[in-house]
Amino acid sequence: MASKKSRRSPTKKRPSRQRRRKRQRRFHLSFTTIIDGAALLLMLVGVLSIVALMSPTHSPLVARWVAFWQTWLGTGRWLAPLAFIGTGTWLLAPRLDWPDVRHPRVLGGLFGGSLLVLIALEVAGDDGGRIGAQLTHWFLLAFGRWGTWLMLVVVALLLIRWVSARPLHTFIPSLPSLHLPTILNTWWAVLSHALAHIARLITNLAHAIHACVRRMRTPRLSLPTVIPIHHATHRPANEEAPWPLPPWETFLREDDASTFDPLSIRTKTRIIEETLAHFHVPARVVEVQRGPRVTQFGVEPGYIERVVRGETRRQKVKVRAITRLANDLALALSAPRIRIEAPVPGKPIVGIEVPNDHADIVTLRGVMESPEFQRLRSPLRLALGRDVSGAPLVADLAKMPHLLIAGATGSGKSVCINTILTCLLCHNAPDRLNLLLIDPKMVELSTYNGIPHLVTSVITDIDHVIPALRWAVAEMERRYVLFSAVGARHLEAYNRTARERGEPTLPYLVIVIDELADLMLTAPDEVEYNITRLAQMARATGIHLIVATQRPSVNVITGLIKANFPARIAFAVASQIDSRVILDKPGAETLLGSGDMLYLGADASIPKRAQACYVSDEELQQLILFWQTAAAQRPAAPKEKRRPTHLVDAPPEGPLMQQSLWDALPADDSEPDPLLPQARLLTSQYARLSPRLIQHRLRVSLARAERLFNLLVREGLLDPRTGMVRKQATTPDEHA
């Protein structure tokens, strides 16, 4: 014990309890001090946020701060610093001798008013960020557009009443005589109308949920239920009821939210400027256009200063100096491919198109609901996609008047054709639009079988294609005869005259060929002849062609065909040669695929880049089912007015006034062929025949030409090995 006591120093004493309390009180912060510090910190953050939002360049940390408020508040990002400053002022109100401001309802009014501003921005068509978009979605779902504006005004008035703690009529000096019962009655009327609207919304929602549950209980093959179609009840018996149009707003999907990242845009802008400066090309990005698939950076070339004989001269950077750095820019941006548009039409800038980190899906409904599409009054208006700035790309097939689509396998041709057909079927009834679909691949267009717009089933047999094109040429000639009889120059004028006379009108006829390469391989002369003749003359008769191919070579897209197709769509191709075949200029080889395309309009000299619309199989199936159901529920027409499902059975007189769509081929070689007398006549004109020569002279398919060759061999007119003529026939009826 003595040793332990000896270790302590006799001169060192422990501090007293009172001294320890003074030392602890010296480092103690009061609650008021903490509140004041927090208020000053909030006001400082608000001021710095205003400076950051106004500054064009930022550090990485500040850029993330600005991008955060841009994402969540959009255009209302300026409300964030105002909220910080307002909250700090609210906390400092007692120190500033503003006791009324410290009331909690003032802070509630500040944040409530900010939310109202975000909703108003979204309803007005501006960007309210994620918060504004979600709140606006709820308001629009409950009250509609005009109801949302009304509710915003009502909530704003209630917010003013709650924050000011004053009756509303006291804010207007000219209305001091309004009594409280009158105000209550007015508010009750507004509230009753809103409640009635909400009740109707809940009822419609319950019906929709019930319909969805009923569809889920049915097997998948019969998932689309029968769509009710109402026909007019007070219509004369001899007049057919009008065809209903599909409610495409119910089954076409809406546009998804855009994945816009301001930080990525700023980073790519800095990389482009630094890369160009590294190669001694001074330039700066002055414009950014963000599209669904690519973003176009508008680069303004700068000046290079050179000293010549002691004199400093400024020389503009050449456009070629920027275009030759495409691969270096792609390497610096870590992009698979970039495309440089030099210059951008109508602007003094060079466009550098860089793929986005996350691509947006362009839906058909979003383009069809746009004002650009609604302004087109043509029945053949098309929604093609969105360009690099996100603007809708629309066109009129009647003005094209024909469309050529080409691209490599998997680049988006079939989806583009389905989008075009969906757009046409959503706005045209069968009495205004007819379709002739040719699909040698047998799988792309076969789903359209059964809709009432088809003049015949989807043609998948190569032997039936040539007769189908012949029928189209004959139909064009028949329409010209009808036009000349009434003095009409085009289809609209003839239909106008027919309606005045009470006669049936003529529908538009759109011919879609999904794969031209297979047809050109089988019968190139016949296919080229009929397609070229239709493309040259069929515009005035309302007959239009949409031709697609995956092999854009000069053997498939010949110069004669390409000259008659001024409107073209090029998807991604393998080489620059293929791009020149389609567009007569390079550019398609740098596309990204999956709907990325270049559209060359009939009245344009420079192609426009865009992302094609996407239509899913479920949306397409519901549209086809609607028209199949409409055709099944429609009363059967009289026999003389009923359209044949196959034009093989069409009568010689009627709406088409044509013979069979394709020639009646014999079941086997034992039956006579209608063209056999003409084939016999060829033996008197040539010393040697071959199936190719018969195909060219009689304009038939190769399979039928071989059949005629075998019949001539069987009759002993030709040598089966050499094709030499053994016995010449002088007249077609010599062997009859």
Side-chain angles (χ1 to χ4, degrees):
M1 296 295 294
S3 61
K4 291 182 179 181
K5 290 182 180 181
S6 61
R7 293 176 183 175
R8 297 178 180 177
S9 174
T11 59
K12 188 176 182 180
K13 297 182 180 180
R14 296 180 61 187
S16 62
R17 182 176 299 176
Q18 184 177 6
R19 186 175 300 174
R20 287 199 304 270
R21 288 179 178 177
K22 290 182 179 180
R23 186 179 302 172
Q24 294 175 359
R25 193 180 298 116
R26 184 181 305 171
F27 299 99
H28 176 70
L29 296 177
S30 63
F31 180 75
T32 304
T33 306
I34 295 176
I35 293 298
D36 293 344
L40 293 176
L41 181 61
L42 288 174
M43 296 177 70
L44 179 62
V45 171
V47 173
L48 293 179
S49 299
I50 293 177
V51 175
L53 292 175
M54 296 176 62
S55 176
T57 58
H58 312 95
S59 63
L61 180 62
V62 177
R64 291 184 179 275
W65 176 259
V66 174
F68 173 80
W69 293 114
Q70 172 69 30
T71 302
W72 288 96
L73 301 181
T75 308
R77 60 186 179 274
W78 296 96
L79 296 174
L82 296 180
F84 283 121
I85 296 175
T87 305
T89 305
W90 182 79
L91 293 175
L92 289 178
R95 306 292 181 275
L96 300 175
D97 198 13
W98 295 342
D100 296 337
V101 178
R102 188 60 187 274
H103 200 278
R105 59 172 172 259
V106 176
L107 191 60
L110 175 64
F111 287 96
S114 301
L115 295 179
L116 292 181
V117 171
L118 294 179
I119 299 174
L121 288 174
E122 282 286 337
V123 177
D126 208 336
D127 184 16
R130 294 184 180 178
I131 298 177
Q134 187 62 41
L135 294 176
T136 305
H137 174 71
W138 292 339
F139 269 81
L140 292 177
L141 188 63
F143 307 107
R145 184 175 181 84
W146 294 107
T148 300
W149 281 115
L150 179 61
M151 291 304 300
L152 289 178
V153 174
V154 171
V155 175
L157 293 176
L158 292 177
L159 199 62
I160 294 174
R161 171 68 176 84
W162 179 60
V163 173
S164 62
R166 292 171 53 188
L168 292 177
H169 69 276
T170 59
F171 290 92
I172 306 178
S174 60
L175 298 177
S177 60
L178 287 179
H179 299 287
L180 182 61
T182 305
I183 299 176
L184 292 178
N185 291 334
T186 304
W187 286 114
W188 177 249
V190 174
L191 185 60
S192 300
H193 179 74
L195 291 177
H197 192 82
I198 294 175
R200 287 195 300 269
L201 175 67
I202 294 175
T203 304
N204 296 335
L205 186 61
H207 287 303
I209 294 175
H210 177 69
C212 292
V213 173
R214 186 175 60 181
R215 286 197 299 267
M216 291 173 61
R217 291 178 179 176
T218 58
R220 182 166 183 82
L221 293 178
S222 60
L223 186 146
T225 57
V226 177
I227 302 175
I229 300 173
H230 304 283
H231 302 282
T233 56
H234 302 286
R235 187 173 297 274
N238 58 352
E239 184 179 354
E240 294 184 358
W243 288 88
L245 292 179
W248 49 268
E249 299 90 348
T250 59
F251 57 83
L252 292 181
R253 58 179 291 188
E254 298 179 350
D255 282 335
D256 299 332
S258 177
T259 57
F260 177 71
D261 187 6
L263 180 60
S264 176
I265 297 298
R266 294 190 183 93
T267 303
K268 292 179 180 179
T269 300
R270 178 179 53 82
I271 292 175
I272 291 174
E273 294 178 348
E274 292 179 353
T275 303
L276 293 176
H278 178 75
F279 290 96
H280 307 287
V281 180
R284 62 188 184 95
V285 178
V286 297
E287 181 181 281
V288 177
Q289 298 285 346
R290 187 186 185 278
R293 191 67 183 275
V294 297
T295 299
Q296 186 184 73
F297 295 86
V299 177
E300 181 183 17
Y303 292 89
I304 299 177
E305 295 184 354
R306 294 182 178 179
V307 179
V308 179
R309 297 178 181 179
E311 181 181 358
T312 303
R313 297 181 180 179
R314 299 183 64 190
Q315 183 179 1
K316 189 76 171 181
V317 173
K318 296 182 179 180
V319 175
R320 184 176 56 186
I322 300 178
T323 57
R324 66 185 182 186
L325 297 177
N327 294 333
D328 300 285
L329 289 172
L331 177 63
L333 294 168
S334 301
R337 295 178 181 177
I338 66 170
R339 176 176 175 267
I340 297 181
E341 187 176 15
V344 177
K347 298 180 180 179
I349 57 176
V350 176
I352 300 177
E353 297 171 357
V354 182
N356 295 334
D357 297 333
H358 303 282
D360 299 336
I361 297 178
V362 179
T363 62
L364 179 61
R365 177 179 176 180
V367 180
M368 288 170 57
E369 291 179 343
S370 63
E372 291 82 358
F373 184 82
Q374 298 296 330
R375 281 195 293 266
L376 291 177
R377 298 302 179 185
S378 173
L380 300 183
R381 52 185 175 174
L382 304 178
L384 299 178
R386 295 185 181 272
D387 59 12
V388 294
S389 63
L393 179 61
V394 298
D396 184 6
L397 183 60
K399 295 181 179 179
M400 287 184 179
H402 311 289
L403 180 61
L404 177 64
I405 305 174
T409 304
S411 58
K413 299 184 306 300
S414 299
V415 177
C416 181
I417 292 177
N418 288 330
T419 300
I420 292 174
L421 291 177
T422 301
C423 192
L424 293 176
L425 293 176
C426 285
H427 298 90
N428 295 279
D431 54 359
R432 190 165 67 167
L433 173 67
N434 288 165
L435 296 176
L436 177 59
L437 305 183
I438 300 174
D439 182 18
K441 294 187 291 188
M442 303 184 185
V443 294
E444 297 295 343
L445 303 179
S446 299
T447 56
Y448 292 94
N449 277 323
I451 64 175
H453 299 74
L454 296 179
V455 296
T456 184
S457 301
V458 178
I459 301 175
T460 57
D461 192 351
I462 298 294
D463 292 335
H464 294 166
V465 173
I466 302 300
L469 294 177
R470 287 182 185 171
W471 172 86
V473 173
E475 173 67 13
M476 175 191 68
E477 295 173 349
R478 183 185 74 89
R479 293 192 177 192
Y480 272 119
V481 172
L482 295 177
F483 290 178
S484 62
V486 298
R489 300 180 59 184
H490 49 80
L491 183 65
E492 291 296 332
Y494 174 80
N495 288 339
R496 193 182 310 114
T497 305
R499 283 190 291 266
E500 293 175 356
R501 297 182 176 183
E503 299 176 355
T505 59
L506 293 176
Y508 288 92
L509 177 61
V510 177
I511 304 173
V512 180
I513 302 176
D514 190 18
E515 185 50 60
L516 181 63
D518 290 346
L519 306 183
M520 296 295 290
L521 181 65
T522 305
D525 297 333
E526 185 75 11
V527 170
E528 183 180 14
Y529 170 78
N530 289 286
I531 289 180
T532 304
R533 193 170 181 201
L534 286 172
Q536 288 175 346
M537 300 179 59
R539 174 179 182 176
T541 62
I543 301 177
H544 304 277
L545 290 169
I546 299 177
V547 179
T549 180
Q550 64 180 359
R551 196 174 56 145
S553 62
V554 293
N555 297 328
V556 177
I557 307 177
T558 62
L560 197 58
I561 293 178
K562 188 168 64 173
N564 292 280
F565 283 80
R568 306 165 198 169
I569 292 179
F571 289 92
V573 295
S575 64
Q576 188 180 118
I577 298 176
D578 295 341
S579 178
R580 291 185 180 274
V581 171
I582 306 171
L583 302 173
D584 296 327
K585 59 185 63 180
E589 74 279 359
T590 61
L591 298 179
L592 304 174
S594 301
D596 192 14
M597 69 178 188
L598 289 176
Y599 169 69
L600 181 64
D603 55 349
S605 59
I606 299 177
K608 181 183 296 184
R609 187 171 187 177
Q611 178 68 22
C613 295
Y614 174 75
V615 176
S616 63
D617 295 339
E618 292 78 9
E619 297 170 344
L620 186 60
Q621 192 64 33
Q622 292 189 37
L623 176 63
I624 294 174
L625 180 73
F626 173 87
W627 284 116
Q628 292 175 347
T629 307
Q633 294 184 358
R634 190 174 180 84
K639 185 176 181 181
E640 61 273 8
K641 293 185 179 181
R642 188 181 305 137
R643 185 214 303 261
T645 56
H646 260 284
L647 290 182
V648 172
D649 305 324
E653 301 293 336
L656 295 173
M657 297 180 62
Q658 297 295 327
Q659 297 179 357
S660 301
L661 175 58
W662 44 77
D663 299 331
L665 299 178
D668 50 33
D669 292 344
S670 62
E671 298 182 8
D673 193 294
L675 295 180
L676 184 57
Q678 300 182 25
R680 292 193 187 108
L681 184 59
L682 294 179
T683 60
S684 63
Q685 301 175 1
Y686 297 92
R688 181 177 180 180
L689 289 180
S690 65
R692 286 288 184 182
L693 181 59
I694 297 175
Q695 176 192 9
H696 176 70
R697 296 297 300 172
L698 300 183
R699 298 189 180 277
V700 295
S701 63
L702 182 60
R704 191 171 185 184
E706 292 176 350
R707 187 181 298 109
L708 291 171
F709 182 85
N710 294 332
L711 290 176
L712 295 177
V713 170
R714 184 176 301 175
E715 292 182 357
L717 299 178
L718 297 179
D719 186 352
R721 293 175 298 177
T722 62
M724 299 296 295
V725 177
R726 292 179 176 176
K727 178 182 178 181
Q728 296 184 354
T730 57
T731 62
D733 298 331
E734 182 180 347
H735 296 273

